[in-house]
Amino acid sequence: MRTSLVLAVSAALVAGTALGLAPAAQAAETAASLRFVDIAGDGGTVLKANVVTPAGGDGSTRYPVIVLPTSWAMPQIEYLAQAQKLADSGYVVVSYNSRGFWQSGGEIETAGPKDIADASRVIDWTLAHTPADPAHIGMAGVSYGAGISLLAAAHDPRIKAVAALSGWADLIESIYSGRTQHLQAAGLLGGAGYLTGRPGPELQEILGDFLSSNLDKEDEMIAWGRTRSPATYLDRINANGAAIMLGNAWGDTIFPPNQYAGFYEKLTGPKRLEFRPGDHATAEATGLFGLPNDTWTSAHRWFDHYLKGADNGVDREQPVQLKSRSTGGYEGYPDWKSVNANQRKFGLGGTQRIWANIDSGANGGITLLTNALDQFLRTPPLVSVPLLPRAFAGVWQSEWYDTPQRVRGTVKVHTTVTPTEESGTLVAYLYDVGPLGVGKLVSNAPYTFHDRTPGKPFAVDLELFSTAYDVPAGHRLALVVDTVDPLYIEHNPTGAQLTFSSPSADPSYVSVPLRDE
């Protein structure tokens, strides 16, 4: 049933996007600046591409260039609306279908070495066949295109600026955080890959081992993910010095924000980090249709400054820009550490024991849907905290707050767990609880353990997914822990129990980062 659901959602997503972009493609075809071409990628593999050049370009003027690899499972018309806008402002724009998808040749490499080499081959072709300025080359993309752009910046020093939107820096921390498989994320990506492309044998094997929880292959899966993670090549990215803009959504259920924030802090060149409400790629989606969009506006400003030298002030603004899920306003910070600087704790006292394998009703939602609703309607998942069955959910609550609590950054949980089995999974949720006991989900994260001694306690430190959420005055926070969530694969043996305690020598707590007014 899960597989069928994933395939159905994938088909609807891909078909809806393609149909929605068709009018933009038809309109763009009437412009003399657009042409569809074949580009020889690594090993001669044909990459289907489109090129948009500034109107009136006669070859005597050189223009800065932006290369756009398509997102996972998306057709080559994905960026046409943005490409036209960029060309109108003086860029040569080349968008290409990533290998293994749609009409491009080859097999899906999942941002492997051939994908990185493809990006360089596209740049080579662009310099040879368009009025592109070799000294001013940028790359951008959404999701898969973002990851490939960052990886290319590590391997090709010609790239001077990158806008990586809804992407990943660490693939393992994205879909295997807390040593837990993100089921819906991996299933959606796998299903969309089979529907729109040709997964290679390596990807098929990795995906099979991942979804079947083959721990014998865990080291191999992690190594595979590391080679496809821009964070692995951080030193090269810093040495090449490209200006890096990172954009993501607070509720991204495929590439959660924490891994982007950690990567951002380690960049040494020009950099910018933007987080907004939404789920995977929903923060950029309206811009793909040519509609006004904050993320794409920022990306254009980024390129204008670092590729065209425009004095638009983007380099003088606070480099970390956060948009609250509650107010919709932007807040600027000098760095990510400043976001998390003001911490407030509440204790997780006492001892609570819960049975595993039963969903308590506390859940993180549905990939792509739940956090998109929160983005547009401000309706996060709800739960009645007083009615949660205490046999299957541990519940701890803070005091009632007299003033608003503006949660900003990464909530951290520290507790002691005693299992009855050597393996297990727990999922922690932080709720904003009103006077009637209704909880609105603030954040969550999973945690899985293996090879533990039954009956022996051990400490757990868990970072929830970063967020920006305002808890109103008169509300309180609640931490809820259970063992089942449809977002994740759980590893609880039948009949297992988990006991949560707070030893006097190592008290349990929740540490909440608050905006310092």
Side-chain angles (χ1 to χ4, degrees):
M1 290 179 64
R2 284 175 172 171
T3 301
S4 299
L5 176 61
V6 165
L7 291 173
V9 171
S10 301
L13 173 67
V14 173
T17 303
L19 290 172
L21 288 176
Q26 292 169 1
E29 285 177 346
T30 65
S33 59
L34 172 67
R35 57 193 173 110
F36 292 90
V37 300
D38 290 348
I39 297 176
D42 184 57
T45 297
V46 174
L47 304 175
K48 295 294 183 178
N50 53 71
V51 183
V52 187
T53 54
D58 58 5
S60 61
T61 301
R62 293 290 170 178
Y63 300 97
V65 60
I66 296 176
V67 174
L68 300 164
T70 55
S71 304
W72 184 272
M74 291 294 104
Q76 63 165 304
I77 62 172
E78 177 185 9
Y79 300 114
L80 278 183
Q82 286 301 316
Q84 191 70 52
K85 289 177 180 291
L86 287 164
D88 289 343
S89 63
Y91 293 92
V92 170
V93 185
V94 179
S95 175
Y96 69 95
N97 230 136
S98 304
R99 72 164 50 223
F101 287 104
W102 295 87
Q103 293 176 309
S104 283
E107 296 175 328
I108 300 173
E109 297 286 329
T110 321
K114 292 182 180 179
D115 289 304
I116 299 170
D118 283 345
S120 291
R121 299 293 80 76
V122 171
I123 292 173
D124 294 341
W125 183 94
T126 302
L127 295 178
H129 296 90
T130 73
D133 183 347
H136 299 92
I137 298 172
M139 285 193 70
V142 176
S143 186
Y144 194 46
I148 291 175
S149 295
L150 286 173
L151 289 163
H155 292 82
D156 195 327
R158 295 176 296 180
I159 300 169
K160 303 303 181 185
V162 171
L165 313 176
S166 289
W168 76 93
D170 189 322
L171 193 58
I172 300 302
E173 283 300 310
S174 294
I175 61 174
Y176 196 47
S177 69
R179 206 180 178 186
T180 307
Q181 297 99 320
H182 293 211
L183 173 63
Q184 291 184 19
L188 178 63
L189 292 173
Y194 277 100
L195 280 170
T196 64
R198 298 167 299 283
E202 185 179 34
L203 174 57
Q204 294 182 47
E205 181 178 357
I206 288 290
L207 191 60
D209 289 335
F210 184 81
L211 292 176
S212 65
S213 304
N214 187 353
L215 291 177
D216 292 337
K217 295 293 186 70
E218 184 179 37
D219 290 342
E220 294 178 28
M221 289 187 284
I222 290 175
W224 180 87
R226 291 283 179 247
T227 63
R228 288 158 170 80
S229 296
T232 301
Y233 311 100
L234 180 68
D235 290 346
R236 294 188 192 180
I237 293 174
N238 286 334
N240 289 341
I244 306 293
M245 172 187 158
L246 305 174
N248 205 354
W250 293 120
D252 194 321
T253 47
I254 295 181
F255 303 130
N258 302 43
Q259 44 92 33
Y260 244 18
F263 177 71
Y264 169 84
E265 283 291 271
K266 297 175 183 177
L267 292 170
T268 58
K271 58 183 179 178
R272 185 178 178 93
L273 177 67
E274 299 184 353
F275 285 141
R276 297 177 175 84
D279 206 311
H280 183 65
T282 64
E284 301 85 22
T286 56
L288 295 177
F289 294 91
L291 300 174
N293 181 274
D294 288 357
T295 307
W296 284 105
T297 297
S298 290
H300 286 228
R301 295 180 66 227
W302 191 252
F303 287 131
D304 285 349
H305 180 74
Y306 287 102
L307 295 183
K308 296 169 67 175
D311 185 15
N312 56 18
V314 72
D315 57 320
R316 297 188 295 274
E317 297 170 356
Q318 295 275 40
V320 176
Q321 293 287 320
L322 310 182
K323 187 175 184 180
S324 169
R325 291 166 51 200
S326 303
T327 65
Y330 284 95
E331 303 165 356
Y333 298 82
D335 51 38
W336 182 248
K337 292 179 182 178
S338 299
V339 178
N340 292 277
N342 182 31
Q343 299 280 331
R344 180 172 181 174
K345 294 182 179 180
F346 69 88
L348 306 178
T351 298
Q352 297 192 36
R353 172 176 290 187
I354 63 174
W355 290 91
N357 309 117
I358 302 296
D359 191 338
S360 70
N363 286 312
I366 300 172
T367 291
L368 296 183
L369 176 62
T370 299
N371 292 315
L373 291 175
D374 185 40
Q375 173 187 356
F376 295 110
L377 303 177
R378 295 184 185 172
T379 55
L382 304 177
V383 71
S384 174
V385 174
L387 297 182
L388 286 171
R390 297 312 198 257
F392 310 118
V395 179
W396 299 263
Q397 300 188 80
S398 72
E399 75 275 21
W400 298 101
Y401 297 119
D402 295 329
T403 59
Q405 305 294 297
R406 296 177 175 86
V407 181
R408 299 292 186 273
T410 308
V411 175
K412 299 179 180 180
V413 176
H414 175 78
T415 188
T416 295
V417 177
T418 304
T420 59
E421 303 289 343
E422 65 176 15
S423 295
T425 296
L426 60 92
V427 184
Y429 310 87
L430 188 70
Y431 285 99
D432 159 25
V433 183
L436 298 180
V438 175
K440 296 181 179 181
L441 185 63
V442 177
S443 186
N444 78 98
Y447 180 91
T448 293
F449 59 88
H450 297 288
D451 302 320
R452 291 289 180 176
T453 302
K456 184 177 180 179
F458 63 93
V460 170
D461 287 288
L462 177 61
E463 291 189 349
L464 305 191
F465 300 133
S466 302
T467 194
Y469 181 96
D470 293 355
V471 179
H475 286 216
R476 70 200 311 184
L477 287 170
L479 182 77
V480 176
V481 179
D482 71 3
T483 62
V484 176
D485 190 308
L487 284 172
Y488 314 112
I489 291 178
E490 51 98 359
H491 296 264
N492 298 294
T494 301
Q497 292 178 286
L498 299 177
T499 299
F500 299 88
S501 59
S502 182
S504 57
D506 185 22
S508 298
Y509 61 83
V510 176
S511 183
V512 182
L514 300 175
R515 178 172 170 80
D516 191 6
E517 298 298 338

